[in-house]
Amino acid sequence: MSDANIDVSIFGRKIFFVAPPVNVHPYVTGKLRENEYEVYTIKEYKAAKGVLRNNPESIVFLNIDDASLSSNGWFNFIKSFQDDEVLKTCKLGVISNRSRAKDKEKFLVENNLSAGYITASVGNTELMNSIKEMLDLNGAKGKRQYVRANTGNDPSAQVVCEKDEQMLTMQLLDISSVGFACKLDSSYATRFVKNSLLKNFTLRMGVRQVVSTALIFAVKEGEKFSTLVLLFVPALLQPQGKKAIQDYCAEILEKTTFADAGVEDIEDYEKLYDE
């Protein structure tokens, strides 16, 4: 399903790293996720266009040192994005250990890389800052502060709590590191009071479990069930719990994003623009 109608000024842009080098993934990608950027990795260029056609307006960094294409092949691959009405909406950047001026000029000027030319042969912190600067310049976050994942189709996503000496298990509907919503049998709705604390509940997210306390933000009654909306109490959410939630969100979003990636790209980019 295409994200063509998403307002990037509000929701920001998805970020893709194609064939990322080892100092980008997992270090940089992990740090970006900790800072609530929506980040994905695509292992090889042949899978990139199929994914990106379903995710227009994304920011894409390509590792032009990856040996699957020559420097000229990567140049042609990037150039070809302008021949596709959907792909040309993406903001492209390159990552390379080569810092020669002629290499930068060729890729930056002739391909108009709006996400820049990132030199990877620097320390991890400097590399992270360079990439983050480009992301912020290109509106990676928009007005959204937290990455949220829809979990209603994951039966392993549950909230377990004790209420009035009864154990309740509720389906987790969506979650971010700031809060979550879950499905509640309407007959239990009066047991949950807005602005009160739900203490020592357990979040089950596949193999991950997090025990925490949250503020009941809202109880929304519906025709078939009620929705319980809660906000984490920052001081009571342990760092390892927050990371588990962010990792789980990334896992769910990745499954959704790569579910319909299309066929493998068989274009010969080494010869694409040969006369």
PDB file of all heavy atoms in Angstrom, residues 1-3 6 14-16 33 38-42 47-56 58 147-148 249-262:
ATOM      1  N   MET A   1       0.851  -1.198   0.000  1.00  0.00           N
ATOM      2  CA  MET A   1       0.000   0.000   0.000  1.00  0.00           C
ATOM      3  C   MET A   1       0.881   1.240   0.000  1.00  0.00           C
ATOM      4  O   MET A   1       1.797   1.388   0.783  1.00  0.00           O
ATOM      5  CB  MET A   1      -0.907   0.004   1.235  1.00  0.00           C
ATOM      6  CG  MET A   1      -1.825   1.223   1.318  1.00  0.00           C
ATOM      7  SD  MET A   1      -2.907   1.116   2.788  1.00  0.00           S
ATOM      8  CE  MET A   1      -3.761   2.680   2.618  1.00  0.00           C
ATOM      9  N   SER A   2       0.578   2.166  -0.895  1.00  0.00           N
ATOM     10  CA  SER A   2       1.389   3.368  -1.022  1.00  0.00           C
ATOM     11  C   SER A   2       1.067   4.376   0.067  1.00  0.00           C
ATOM     12  O   SER A   2      -0.055   4.495   0.523  1.00  0.00           O
ATOM     13  CB  SER A   2       1.156   4.006  -2.402  1.00  0.00           C
ATOM     14  OG  SER A   2       1.786   5.247  -2.489  1.00  0.00           O
ATOM     15  N   ASP A   3       2.098   5.131   0.476  1.00  0.00           N
ATOM     16  CA  ASP A   3       1.921   6.207   1.448  1.00  0.00           C
ATOM     17  C   ASP A   3       1.846   7.559   0.747  1.00  0.00           C
ATOM     18  O   ASP A   3       2.179   8.591   1.317  1.00  0.00           O
ATOM     19  CB  ASP A   3       3.085   6.220   2.440  1.00  0.00           C
ATOM     20  CG  ASP A   3       2.990   5.074   3.427  1.00  0.00           C
ATOM     21  OD1 ASP A   3       1.886   4.557   3.603  1.00  0.00           O
ATOM     22  OD2 ASP A   3       4.026   4.716   4.019  1.00  0.00           O
ATOM     23  N   ILE A   6       0.231  10.702   2.511  1.00  0.00           N
ATOM     24  CA  ILE A   6       0.680  11.130   3.827  1.00  0.00           C
ATOM     25  C   ILE A   6       1.267  12.544   3.748  1.00  0.00           C
ATOM     26  O   ILE A   6       2.057  12.852   2.860  1.00  0.00           O
ATOM     27  CB  ILE A   6       1.715  10.148   4.394  1.00  0.00           C
ATOM     28  CG1 ILE A   6       1.015   8.849   4.802  1.00  0.00           C
ATOM     29  CG2 ILE A   6       2.449  10.736   5.588  1.00  0.00           C
ATOM     30  CD1 ILE A   6       1.941   7.803   5.361  1.00  0.00           C
ATOM     31  N   LYS A  14       9.893   8.650   5.949  1.00  0.00           N
ATOM     32  CA  LYS A  14      10.602   7.418   6.265  1.00  0.00           C
ATOM     33  C   LYS A  14      12.042   7.537   5.774  1.00  0.00           C
ATOM     34  O   LYS A  14      12.326   8.216   4.778  1.00  0.00           O
ATOM     35  CB  LYS A  14       9.917   6.227   5.605  1.00  0.00           C
ATOM     36  CG  LYS A  14       8.537   5.929   6.163  1.00  0.00           C
ATOM     37  CD  LYS A  14       7.929   4.688   5.520  1.00  0.00           C
ATOM     38  CE  LYS A  14       6.575   4.378   6.143  1.00  0.00           C
ATOM     39  NZ  LYS A  14       5.951   3.157   5.564  1.00  0.00           N
ATOM     40  N   ILE A  15      12.938   6.869   6.461  1.00  0.00           N
ATOM     41  CA  ILE A  15      14.367   6.932   6.140  1.00  0.00           C
ATOM     42  C   ILE A  15      14.847   5.537   5.774  1.00  0.00           C
ATOM     43  O   ILE A  15      14.661   4.583   6.541  1.00  0.00           O
ATOM     44  CB  ILE A  15      15.172   7.451   7.344  1.00  0.00           C
ATOM     45  CG1 ILE A  15      14.636   8.811   7.798  1.00  0.00           C
ATOM     46  CG2 ILE A  15      16.659   7.524   7.018  1.00  0.00           C
ATOM     47  CD1 ILE A  15      14.931   9.119   9.251  1.00  0.00           C
ATOM     48  N   PHE A  16      15.468   5.411   4.609  1.00  0.00           N
ATOM     49  CA  PHE A  16      15.973   4.132   4.147  1.00  0.00           C
ATOM     50  C   PHE A  16      17.476   4.215   3.905  1.00  0.00           C
ATOM     51  O   PHE A  16      17.965   5.159   3.288  1.00  0.00           O
ATOM     52  CB  PHE A  16      15.286   3.711   2.844  1.00  0.00           C
ATOM     53  CG  PHE A  16      13.827   3.393   2.990  1.00  0.00           C
ATOM     54  CD1 PHE A  16      12.874   4.396   2.882  1.00  0.00           C
ATOM     55  CD2 PHE A  16      13.403   2.092   3.237  1.00  0.00           C
ATOM     56  CE1 PHE A  16      11.519   4.110   3.014  1.00  0.00           C
ATOM     57  CE2 PHE A  16      12.059   1.788   3.380  1.00  0.00           C
ATOM     58  CZ  PHE A  16      11.113   2.800   3.266  1.00  0.00           C
ATOM     59  N   ARG A  33      16.840   5.496  15.751  1.00  0.00           N
ATOM     60  CA  ARG A  33      15.592   4.947  16.311  1.00  0.00           C
ATOM     61  C   ARG A  33      15.401   5.387  17.756  1.00  0.00           C
ATOM     62  O   ARG A  33      14.286   5.678  18.182  1.00  0.00           O
ATOM     63  CB  ARG A  33      15.602   3.426  16.193  1.00  0.00           C
ATOM     64  CG  ARG A  33      15.299   2.934  14.783  1.00  0.00           C
ATOM     65  CD  ARG A  33      15.488   1.450  14.638  1.00  0.00           C
ATOM     66  NE  ARG A  33      15.159   1.011  13.284  1.00  0.00           N
ATOM     67  CZ  ARG A  33      15.634  -0.085  12.715  1.00  0.00           C
ATOM     68  NH1 ARG A  33      16.451  -0.876  13.403  1.00  0.00           N
ATOM     69  NH2 ARG A  33      15.268  -0.409  11.487  1.00  0.00           N
ATOM     70  N   GLU A  38      12.022   7.260  11.965  1.00  0.00           N
ATOM     71  CA  GLU A  38      11.503   6.008  11.403  1.00  0.00           C
ATOM     72  C   GLU A  38      12.496   5.495  10.364  1.00  0.00           C
ATOM     73  O   GLU A  38      12.556   5.993   9.244  1.00  0.00           O
ATOM     74  CB  GLU A  38      10.124   6.229  10.780  1.00  0.00           C
ATOM     75  CG  GLU A  38       9.454   4.938  10.355  1.00  0.00           C
ATOM     76  CD  GLU A  38       8.031   5.132   9.846  1.00  0.00           C
ATOM     77  OE1 GLU A  38       7.452   6.220  10.085  1.00  0.00           O
ATOM     78  OE2 GLU A  38       7.519   4.198   9.214  1.00  0.00           O
ATOM     79  N   VAL A  39      13.256   4.476  10.739  1.00  0.00           N
ATOM     80  CA  VAL A  39      14.426   4.050   9.973  1.00  0.00           C
ATOM     81  C   VAL A  39      14.275   2.607   9.481  1.00  0.00           C
ATOM     82  O   VAL A  39      13.823   1.732  10.217  1.00  0.00           O
ATOM     83  CB  VAL A  39      15.698   4.152  10.833  1.00  0.00           C
ATOM     84  CG1 VAL A  39      16.920   3.715  10.046  1.00  0.00           C
ATOM     85  CG2 VAL A  39      15.881   5.570  11.351  1.00  0.00           C
ATOM     86  N   TYR A  40      14.700   2.385   8.235  1.00  0.00           N
ATOM     87  CA  TYR A  40      14.687   1.054   7.636  1.00  0.00           C
ATOM     88  C   TYR A  40      16.006   0.806   6.912  1.00  0.00           C
ATOM     89  O   TYR A  40      16.672   1.752   6.484  1.00  0.00           O
ATOM     90  CB  TYR A  40      13.553   0.921   6.617  1.00  0.00           C
ATOM     91  CG  TYR A  40      12.186   1.221   7.171  1.00  0.00           C
ATOM     92  CD1 TYR A  40      11.703   2.532   7.194  1.00  0.00           C
ATOM     93  CD2 TYR A  40      11.380   0.214   7.671  1.00  0.00           C
ATOM     94  CE1 TYR A  40      10.447   2.823   7.707  1.00  0.00           C
ATOM     95  CE2 TYR A  40      10.124   0.487   8.179  1.00  0.00           C
ATOM     96  CZ  TYR A  40       9.659   1.789   8.205  1.00  0.00           C
ATOM     97  OH  TYR A  40       8.418   2.060   8.715  1.00  0.00           O
ATOM     98  N   THR A  41      16.357  -0.458   6.765  1.00  0.00           N
ATOM     99  CA  THR A  41      17.533  -0.818   5.960  1.00  0.00           C
ATOM    100  C   THR A  41      17.101  -1.765   4.850  1.00  0.00           C
ATOM    101  O   THR A  41      16.264  -2.648   5.053  1.00  0.00           O
ATOM    102  CB  THR A  41      18.625  -1.497   6.807  1.00  0.00           C
ATOM    103  OG1 THR A  41      18.105  -2.679   7.423  1.00  0.00           O
ATOM    104  CG2 THR A  41      19.141  -0.556   7.881  1.00  0.00           C
ATOM    105  N   ILE A  42      17.673  -1.547   3.671  1.00  0.00           N
ATOM    106  CA  ILE A  42      17.459  -2.418   2.510  1.00  0.00           C
ATOM    107  C   ILE A  42      18.820  -3.013   2.165  1.00  0.00           C
ATOM    108  O   ILE A  42      19.763  -2.273   1.884  1.00  0.00           O
ATOM    109  CB  ILE A  42      16.892  -1.634   1.315  1.00  0.00           C
ATOM    110  CG1 ILE A  42      15.560  -0.976   1.705  1.00  0.00           C
ATOM    111  CG2 ILE A  42      16.704  -2.543   0.110  1.00  0.00           C
ATOM    112  CD1 ILE A  42      14.984  -0.061   0.624  1.00  0.00           C
ATOM    113  N   ALA A  47      16.464  -4.584  -4.375  1.00  0.00           N
ATOM    114  CA  ALA A  47      15.178  -4.563  -3.676  1.00  0.00           C
ATOM    115  C   ALA A  47      14.685  -3.143  -3.408  1.00  0.00           C
ATOM    116  O   ALA A  47      13.544  -2.959  -2.972  1.00  0.00           O
ATOM    117  CB  ALA A  47      15.296  -5.322  -2.353  1.00  0.00           C
ATOM    118  N   ALA A  48      15.519  -2.157  -3.685  1.00  0.00           N
ATOM    119  CA  ALA A  48      15.219  -0.791  -3.235  1.00  0.00           C
ATOM    120  C   ALA A  48      14.021  -0.171  -3.940  1.00  0.00           C
ATOM    121  O   ALA A  48      13.114   0.359  -3.296  1.00  0.00           O
ATOM    122  CB  ALA A  48      16.447   0.093  -3.414  1.00  0.00           C
ATOM    123  N   LYS A  49      13.983  -0.218  -5.251  1.00  0.00           N
ATOM    124  CA  LYS A  49      12.934   0.507  -5.971  1.00  0.00           C
ATOM    125  C   LYS A  49      11.552  -0.063  -5.688  1.00  0.00           C
ATOM    126  O   LYS A  49      10.571   0.687  -5.598  1.00  0.00           O
ATOM    127  CB  LYS A  49      13.231   0.505  -7.476  1.00  0.00           C
ATOM    128  CG  LYS A  49      14.361   1.443  -7.864  1.00  0.00           C
ATOM    129  CD  LYS A  49      14.518   1.545  -9.367  1.00  0.00           C
ATOM    130  CE  LYS A  49      15.549   2.601  -9.745  1.00  0.00           C
ATOM    131  NZ  LYS A  49      15.709   2.711 -11.223  1.00  0.00           N
ATOM    132  N   GLY A  50      11.447  -1.382  -5.543  1.00  0.00           N
ATOM    133  CA  GLY A  50      10.158  -1.981  -5.233  1.00  0.00           C
ATOM    134  C   GLY A  50       9.598  -1.471  -3.920  1.00  0.00           C
ATOM    135  O   GLY A  50       8.398  -1.210  -3.791  1.00  0.00           O
ATOM    136  N   VAL A  51      10.473  -1.324  -2.937  1.00  0.00           N
ATOM    137  CA  VAL A  51      10.051  -0.800  -1.632  1.00  0.00           C
ATOM    138  C   VAL A  51       9.737   0.690  -1.717  1.00  0.00           C
ATOM    139  O   VAL A  51       8.706   1.158  -1.221  1.00  0.00           O
ATOM    140  CB  VAL A  51      11.148  -1.043  -0.571  1.00  0.00           C
ATOM    141  CG1 VAL A  51      10.793  -0.349   0.739  1.00  0.00           C
ATOM    142  CG2 VAL A  51      11.360  -2.529  -0.352  1.00  0.00           C
ATOM    143  N   LEU A  52      10.589   1.436  -2.376  1.00  0.00           N
ATOM    144  CA  LEU A  52      10.455   2.896  -2.398  1.00  0.00           C
ATOM    145  C   LEU A  52       9.262   3.367  -3.231  1.00  0.00           C
ATOM    146  O   LEU A  52       8.706   4.435  -2.945  1.00  0.00           O
ATOM    147  CB  LEU A  52      11.744   3.523  -2.913  1.00  0.00           C
ATOM    148  CG  LEU A  52      12.967   3.309  -2.009  1.00  0.00           C
ATOM    149  CD1 LEU A  52      14.234   3.811  -2.681  1.00  0.00           C
ATOM    150  CD2 LEU A  52      12.760   3.995  -0.654  1.00  0.00           C
ATOM    151  N   ARG A  53       8.853   2.601  -4.217  1.00  0.00           N
ATOM    152  CA  ARG A  53       7.658   2.991  -4.969  1.00  0.00           C
ATOM    153  C   ARG A  53       6.420   2.976  -4.086  1.00  0.00           C
ATOM    154  O   ARG A  53       5.445   3.675  -4.359  1.00  0.00           O
ATOM    155  CB  ARG A  53       7.469   2.072  -6.185  1.00  0.00           C
ATOM    156  CG  ARG A  53       8.426   2.370  -7.333  1.00  0.00           C
ATOM    157  CD  ARG A  53       8.008   1.723  -8.629  1.00  0.00           C
ATOM    158  NE  ARG A  53       8.992   1.999  -9.674  1.00  0.00           N
ATOM    159  CZ  ARG A  53       9.979   1.175 -10.008  1.00  0.00           C
ATOM    160  NH1 ARG A  53      10.101   0.013  -9.371  1.00  0.00           N
ATOM    161  NH2 ARG A  53      10.843   1.502 -10.944  1.00  0.00           N
ATOM    162  N   ASN A  54       6.445   2.155  -3.053  1.00  0.00           N
ATOM    163  CA  ASN A  54       5.341   2.129  -2.088  1.00  0.00           C
ATOM    164  C   ASN A  54       5.527   3.147  -0.965  1.00  0.00           C
ATOM    165  O   ASN A  54       4.648   3.278  -0.101  1.00  0.00           O
ATOM    166  CB  ASN A  54       5.198   0.738  -1.469  1.00  0.00           C
ATOM    167  CG  ASN A  54       4.720  -0.286  -2.479  1.00  0.00           C
ATOM    168  OD1 ASN A  54       3.996   0.042  -3.410  1.00  0.00           O
ATOM    169  ND2 ASN A  54       5.129  -1.532  -2.307  1.00  0.00           N
ATOM    170  N   ASN A  55       6.660   3.841  -0.984  1.00  0.00           N
ATOM    171  CA  ASN A  55       6.981   4.796   0.082  1.00  0.00           C
ATOM    172  C   ASN A  55       7.570   6.079  -0.507  1.00  0.00           C
ATOM    173  O   ASN A  55       8.727   6.413  -0.261  1.00  0.00           O
ATOM    174  CB  ASN A  55       7.946   4.162   1.079  1.00  0.00           C
ATOM    175  CG  ASN A  55       7.344   2.976   1.792  1.00  0.00           C
ATOM    176  OD1 ASN A  55       6.618   3.134   2.769  1.00  0.00           O
ATOM    177  ND2 ASN A  55       7.609   1.773   1.304  1.00  0.00           N
ATOM    178  N   PRO A  56       6.768   6.788  -1.311  1.00  0.00           N
ATOM    179  CA  PRO A  56       7.272   8.040  -1.907  1.00  0.00           C
ATOM    180  C   PRO A  56       7.586   9.063  -0.827  1.00  0.00           C
ATOM    181  O   PRO A  56       7.182   8.921   0.323  1.00  0.00           O
ATOM    182  CB  PRO A  56       6.093   8.492  -2.782  1.00  0.00           C
ATOM    183  CG  PRO A  56       4.883   7.865  -2.153  1.00  0.00           C
ATOM    184  CD  PRO A  56       5.353   6.538  -1.620  1.00  0.00           C
ATOM    185  N   SER A  58      10.250   9.562   0.651  1.00  0.00           N
ATOM    186  CA  SER A  58      11.191   9.089   1.666  1.00  0.00           C
ATOM    187  C   SER A  58      12.566   9.736   1.483  1.00  0.00           C
ATOM    188  O   SER A  58      12.879  10.303   0.434  1.00  0.00           O
ATOM    189  CB  SER A  58      11.341   7.562   1.586  1.00  0.00           C
ATOM    190  OG  SER A  58      10.135   6.925   1.904  1.00  0.00           O
ATOM    191  N   VAL A 147       7.580   7.695  17.000  1.00  0.00           N
ATOM    192  CA  VAL A 147       7.220   6.671  16.028  1.00  0.00           C
ATOM    193  C   VAL A 147       6.211   5.727  16.676  1.00  0.00           C
ATOM    194  O   VAL A 147       6.448   5.197  17.762  1.00  0.00           O
ATOM    195  CB  VAL A 147       8.465   5.887  15.563  1.00  0.00           C
ATOM    196  CG1 VAL A 147       8.058   4.722  14.658  1.00  0.00           C
ATOM    197  CG2 VAL A 147       9.431   6.821  14.842  1.00  0.00           C
ATOM    198  N   ARG A 148       5.086   5.522  16.005  1.00  0.00           N
ATOM    199  CA  ARG A 148       4.021   4.673  16.540  1.00  0.00           C
ATOM    200  C   ARG A 148       3.758   3.517  15.588  1.00  0.00           C
ATOM    201  O   ARG A 148       3.773   3.696  14.365  1.00  0.00           O
ATOM    202  CB  ARG A 148       2.743   5.496  16.732  1.00  0.00           C
ATOM    203  CG  ARG A 148       1.554   4.701  17.274  1.00  0.00           C
ATOM    204  CD  ARG A 148       0.369   5.611  17.552  1.00  0.00           C
ATOM    205  NE  ARG A 148       0.652   6.534  18.631  1.00  0.00           N
ATOM    206  CZ  ARG A 148       0.493   6.252  19.931  1.00  0.00           C
ATOM    207  NH1 ARG A 148       0.044   5.061  20.291  1.00  0.00           N
ATOM    208  NH2 ARG A 148       0.784   7.150  20.847  1.00  0.00           N
ATOM    209  N   CYS A 249       8.466  -1.555  17.847  1.00  0.00           N
ATOM    210  CA  CYS A 249       7.852  -0.683  16.846  1.00  0.00           C
ATOM    211  C   CYS A 249       8.573  -0.806  15.502  1.00  0.00           C
ATOM    212  O   CYS A 249       7.934  -0.909  14.444  1.00  0.00           O
ATOM    213  CB  CYS A 249       7.869   0.770  17.315  1.00  0.00           C
ATOM    214  SG  CYS A 249       6.695   1.154  18.628  1.00  0.00           S
ATOM    215  N   ALA A 250       9.905  -0.794  15.539  1.00  0.00           N
ATOM    216  CA  ALA A 250      10.694  -0.916  14.311  1.00  0.00           C
ATOM    217  C   ALA A 250      10.417  -2.245  13.626  1.00  0.00           C
ATOM    218  O   ALA A 250      10.305  -2.318  12.392  1.00  0.00           O
ATOM    219  CB  ALA A 250      12.182  -0.780  14.626  1.00  0.00           C
ATOM    220  N   GLU A 251      10.285  -3.311  14.401  1.00  0.00           N
ATOM    221  CA  GLU A 251      10.020  -4.642  13.851  1.00  0.00           C
ATOM    222  C   GLU A 251       8.660  -4.697  13.164  1.00  0.00           C
ATOM    223  O   GLU A 251       8.529  -5.220  12.047  1.00  0.00           O
ATOM    224  CB  GLU A 251      10.085  -5.660  14.985  1.00  0.00           C
ATOM    225  CG  GLU A 251       9.883  -7.101  14.582  1.00  0.00           C
ATOM    226  CD  GLU A 251       9.958  -8.020  15.791  1.00  0.00           C
ATOM    227  OE1 GLU A 251      11.073  -8.226  16.304  1.00  0.00           O
ATOM    228  OE2 GLU A 251       8.888  -8.509  16.226  1.00  0.00           O
ATOM    229  N   ILE A 252       7.632  -4.154  13.816  1.00  0.00           N
ATOM    230  CA  ILE A 252       6.287  -4.154  13.242  1.00  0.00           C
ATOM    231  C   ILE A 252       6.232  -3.296  11.980  1.00  0.00           C
ATOM    232  O   ILE A 252       5.669  -3.694  10.947  1.00  0.00           O
ATOM    233  CB  ILE A 252       5.257  -3.639  14.279  1.00  0.00           C
ATOM    234  CG1 ILE A 252       5.108  -4.640  15.426  1.00  0.00           C
ATOM    235  CG2 ILE A 252       3.905  -3.380  13.623  1.00  0.00           C
ATOM    236  CD1 ILE A 252       4.522  -5.971  15.037  1.00  0.00           C
ATOM    237  N   LEU A 253       6.816  -2.110  12.033  1.00  0.00           N
ATOM    238  CA  LEU A 253       6.804  -1.216  10.882  1.00  0.00           C
ATOM    239  C   LEU A 253       7.570  -1.815   9.704  1.00  0.00           C
ATOM    240  O   LEU A 253       7.186  -1.641   8.544  1.00  0.00           O
ATOM    241  CB  LEU A 253       7.392   0.139  11.269  1.00  0.00           C
ATOM    242  CG  LEU A 253       6.525   0.978  12.216  1.00  0.00           C
ATOM    243  CD1 LEU A 253       7.306   2.165  12.744  1.00  0.00           C
ATOM    244  CD2 LEU A 253       5.259   1.453  11.516  1.00  0.00           C
ATOM    245  N   GLU A 254       8.650  -2.512  10.002  1.00  0.00           N
ATOM    246  CA  GLU A 254       9.435  -3.147   8.942  1.00  0.00           C
ATOM    247  C   GLU A 254       8.625  -4.225   8.228  1.00  0.00           C
ATOM    248  O   GLU A 254       8.647  -4.328   6.997  1.00  0.00           O
ATOM    249  CB  GLU A 254      10.717  -3.737   9.526  1.00  0.00           C
ATOM    250  CG  GLU A 254      11.721  -4.164   8.468  1.00  0.00           C
ATOM    251  CD  GLU A 254      13.083  -4.458   9.058  1.00  0.00           C
ATOM    252  OE1 GLU A 254      13.292  -5.615   9.468  1.00  0.00           O
ATOM    253  OE2 GLU A 254      13.901  -3.535   9.118  1.00  0.00           O
ATOM    254  N   LYS A 255       7.897  -5.024   8.987  1.00  0.00           N
ATOM    255  CA  LYS A 255       7.054  -6.068   8.379  1.00  0.00           C
ATOM    256  C   LYS A 255       6.024  -5.450   7.445  1.00  0.00           C
ATOM    257  O   LYS A 255       5.778  -5.946   6.344  1.00  0.00           O
ATOM    258  CB  LYS A 255       6.348  -6.871   9.470  1.00  0.00           C
ATOM    259  CG  LYS A 255       7.250  -7.834  10.223  1.00  0.00           C
ATOM    260  CD  LYS A 255       6.465  -8.583  11.288  1.00  0.00           C
ATOM    261  CE  LYS A 255       7.361  -9.545  12.054  1.00  0.00           C
ATOM    262  NZ  LYS A 255       6.622 -10.252  13.132  1.00  0.00           N
ATOM    263  N   THR A 256       5.423  -4.348   7.885  1.00  0.00           N
ATOM    264  CA  THR A 256       4.406  -3.682   7.068  1.00  0.00           C
ATOM    265  C   THR A 256       5.024  -3.053   5.826  1.00  0.00           C
ATOM    266  O   THR A 256       4.495  -3.187   4.715  1.00  0.00           O
ATOM    267  CB  THR A 256       3.709  -2.580   7.889  1.00  0.00           C
ATOM    268  OG1 THR A 256       3.156  -3.160   9.072  1.00  0.00           O
ATOM    269  CG2 THR A 256       2.602  -1.924   7.085  1.00  0.00           C
ATOM    270  N   THR A 257       6.145  -2.393   6.003  1.00  0.00           N
ATOM    271  CA  THR A 257       6.780  -1.659   4.909  1.00  0.00           C
ATOM    272  C   THR A 257       7.316  -2.581   3.820  1.00  0.00           C
ATOM    273  O   THR A 257       7.254  -2.255   2.624  1.00  0.00           O
ATOM    274  CB  THR A 257       7.917  -0.777   5.461  1.00  0.00           C
ATOM    275  OG1 THR A 257       7.359   0.165   6.385  1.00  0.00           O
ATOM    276  CG2 THR A 257       8.634  -0.027   4.348  1.00  0.00           C
ATOM    277  N   PHE A 258       7.832  -3.739   4.204  1.00  0.00           N
ATOM    278  CA  PHE A 258       8.426  -4.651   3.234  1.00  0.00           C
ATOM    279  C   PHE A 258       7.478  -5.758   2.784  1.00  0.00           C
ATOM    280  O   PHE A 258       7.874  -6.667   2.061  1.00  0.00           O
ATOM    281  CB  PHE A 258       9.702  -5.270   3.800  1.00  0.00           C
ATOM    282  CG  PHE A 258      10.818  -4.281   3.994  1.00  0.00           C
ATOM    283  CD1 PHE A 258      11.237  -3.925   5.262  1.00  0.00           C
ATOM    284  CD2 PHE A 258      11.440  -3.702   2.905  1.00  0.00           C
ATOM    285  CE1 PHE A 258      12.259  -3.009   5.443  1.00  0.00           C
ATOM    286  CE2 PHE A 258      12.462  -2.777   3.070  1.00  0.00           C
ATOM    287  CZ  PHE A 258      12.873  -2.431   4.346  1.00  0.00           C
ATOM    288  N   ALA A 259       6.205  -5.668   3.205  1.00  0.00           N
ATOM    289  CA  ALA A 259       5.253  -6.741   2.886  1.00  0.00           C
ATOM    290  C   ALA A 259       4.976  -6.851   1.390  1.00  0.00           C
ATOM    291  O   ALA A 259       4.727  -7.934   0.876  1.00  0.00           O
ATOM    292  CB  ALA A 259       3.941  -6.502   3.636  1.00  0.00           C
ATOM    293  N   ASP A 260       5.026  -5.746   0.664  1.00  0.00           N
ATOM    294  CA  ASP A 260       4.717  -5.754  -0.768  1.00  0.00           C
ATOM    295  C   ASP A 260       5.817  -5.017  -1.521  1.00  0.00           C
ATOM    296  O   ASP A 260       5.625  -3.922  -2.027  1.00  0.00           O
ATOM    297  CB  ASP A 260       3.348  -5.098  -1.007  1.00  0.00           C
ATOM    298  CG  ASP A 260       2.915  -5.177  -2.463  1.00  0.00           C
ATOM    299  OD1 ASP A 260       3.438  -6.035  -3.190  1.00  0.00           O
ATOM    300  OD2 ASP A 260       2.059  -4.363  -2.871  1.00  0.00           O
ATOM    301  N   ALA A 261       6.977  -5.643  -1.568  1.00  0.00           N
ATOM    302  CA  ALA A 261       8.158  -4.976  -2.129  1.00  0.00           C
ATOM    303  C   ALA A 261       8.271  -5.109  -3.642  1.00  0.00           C
ATOM    304  O   ALA A 261       9.133  -4.482  -4.256  1.00  0.00           O
ATOM    305  CB  ALA A 261       9.419  -5.535  -1.475  1.00  0.00           C
ATOM    306  N   GLY A 262       7.416  -5.912  -4.260  1.00  0.00           N
ATOM    307  CA  GLY A 262       7.482  -6.057  -5.709  1.00  0.00           C
ATOM    308  C   GLY A 262       8.596  -6.977  -6.157  1.00  0.00           C
ATOM    309  O   GLY A 262       9.248  -7.641  -5.356  1.00  0.00           O
TER     310      GLY A 262
END
